[in-house]
Amino acid sequence: MLIQVADIGSNSIKCSVFEVHDGVLRRLRDSRLGLSLGEQVYGEGSLRPGVAAEIAEFIQASADGGIVIDVIFVLATAAVRDAPNREAFVQELAEQFNISVRVLSGEEESFLIHRGMVARGKFRPGETVLTLDIGGGSAEIAWSRDGEMLFTGSCELGAILITRKFMAGGRFTREVAERIRTYAFSQLDQMCGTQKPESIGQALAGSGNIRAVGRMSDRLRGGNSRRGLVQITRGSLEEILEAARDRNTFEISRLFRLQRSRARIVMPAVVVLEAVMQYFDIPLLTLSEAGLREGAALTMTAKGNNRIF
């Protein structure tokens, strides 16, 4: 079966086509639209008129690649979830472009991300596996043990949202970092409550923001890998925080060779990542290329699954 999953995210819109056979995925192609719905929703207050048409054109073009796709799933995450005009947006896609959109709850998003990340992993019996995704509007955290889902959660720690809230001046300072860190701990406490696991065996992380952190760490250490480091430690995050201190977006962009759009929001993501690793006592974080789209493809094509979940 060939399945296309479109992810209408806060930082960008992504489409992936997978071949699914007996629960195994093979990625055939990816496409990306650099459109930040998070900047619209969290900066301007709502989704702009005409954005549905732009997204519909991209999704339809992504499906037209010379192969017959059996099923197309379109999922929307935090920016659409938080948009006051989300119902009009979803309705316009359905009525004018024949595209049905599922707006995921934070817990659903967290579950799919977790399933996508752990699908190809190898874990020890009894080991608790935690996954983390820091998007534009929210952060999703989940953990499981021996294939049993133990927790799925979402909190307001997205990079765009945090940048708007704490870095309006555009310069990353020690004071800004401390305010973000304090807020992150409060959000994590509010989300997890008494469910925080005693120990984490392995921790996996994805999203464009976190992969950008891997590239930043690699470049600080003299590397030039396009993918960056595949593992992150608290020490590597401390190096980034120290190097970026008192710099503005333009300076951060030049230092780490990042696009300006990423450089503007990435430092709050670094602080949130550091806070998560400290909160859960995670010494080492392994970066994953998989996530929501892989989890959705596996979940939605599972045998006996007659619903989306």
Side-chain angles (χ1 to χ4, degrees), residues 71-260:
V71 183
I72 298 177
F73 290 108
V74 182
L75 308 175
T77 58
V80 175
R81 186 162 66 233
D82 294 341
N85 58 339
R86 80 174 196 179
E87 297 301 330
F89 170 79
V90 170
Q91 186 175 354
E92 182 178 355
L93 283 172
E95 294 181 353
Q96 296 192 28
F97 305 102
N98 197 31
I99 294 176
S100 177
V101 179
R102 169 70 178 260
V103 180
L104 298 174
S105 69
E107 288 73 22
E108 290 169 340
E109 183 181 356
S110 182
F111 169 81
L112 294 178
I113 290 169
H114 185 85
R115 179 157 191 189
M117 286 190 193
V118 303
R120 296 183 181 180
K122 295 182 179 180
F123 312 108
R124 296 184 295 272
E127 181 175 53
T128 299
V129 181
L130 180 143
T131 57
L132 166 68
D133 182 291
I134 301 176
S138 63
E140 277 65 48
I141 297 175
W143 56 85
S144 64
R145 186 186 306 119
D146 296 332
E148 179 186 356
M149 205 76 216
L150 300 177
F151 179 86
T152 59
S154 178
C155 55
E156 295 180 354
L157 290 175
I160 295 175
L161 196 63
I162 297 300
T163 299
R164 291 274 178 182
K165 190 177 184 70
F166 295 104
M167 249 183 89
R171 186 172 293 275
F172 183 72
T173 65
R174 187 187 301 272
E175 292 74 19
V176 165
E178 191 53 43
R179 290 173 63 202
I180 294 172
R181 190 177 292 110
T182 300
Y183 179 75
F185 285 135
S186 71
Q187 284 289 304
L188 292 168
D189 269 334
Q190 183 176 326
M191 178 182 68
C192 297
T194 60
Q195 300 182 68
K196 180 179 173 182
E198 292 185 2
S199 64
I200 301 295
Q202 289 194 49
L204 310 175
S207 82
N209 289 317
I210 296 178
R211 286 188 285 272
V213 175
R215 295 193 298 274
M216 293 163 73
S217 185
D218 179 57
R219 285 162 186 166
L220 273 186
R221 299 180 180 194
N224 195 30
S225 170
R226 180 175 174 272
R227 290 183 178 272
L229 297 183
V230 297
Q231 293 183 318
I232 292 175
T233 64
R234 294 186 204 172
S236 63
L237 296 179
E238 290 172 2
E239 291 173 356
I240 293 173
L241 292 170
E242 183 61 32
R245 184 168 294 134
D246 296 323
R247 297 181 187 268
N248 60 27
T249 296
F250 175 72
E251 292 166 335
I252 290 170
S253 175
R254 288 190 62 185
L255 175 64
F256 296 108
R257 284 174 279 171
L258 297 173
Q259 292 183 348
R260 290 287 295 276

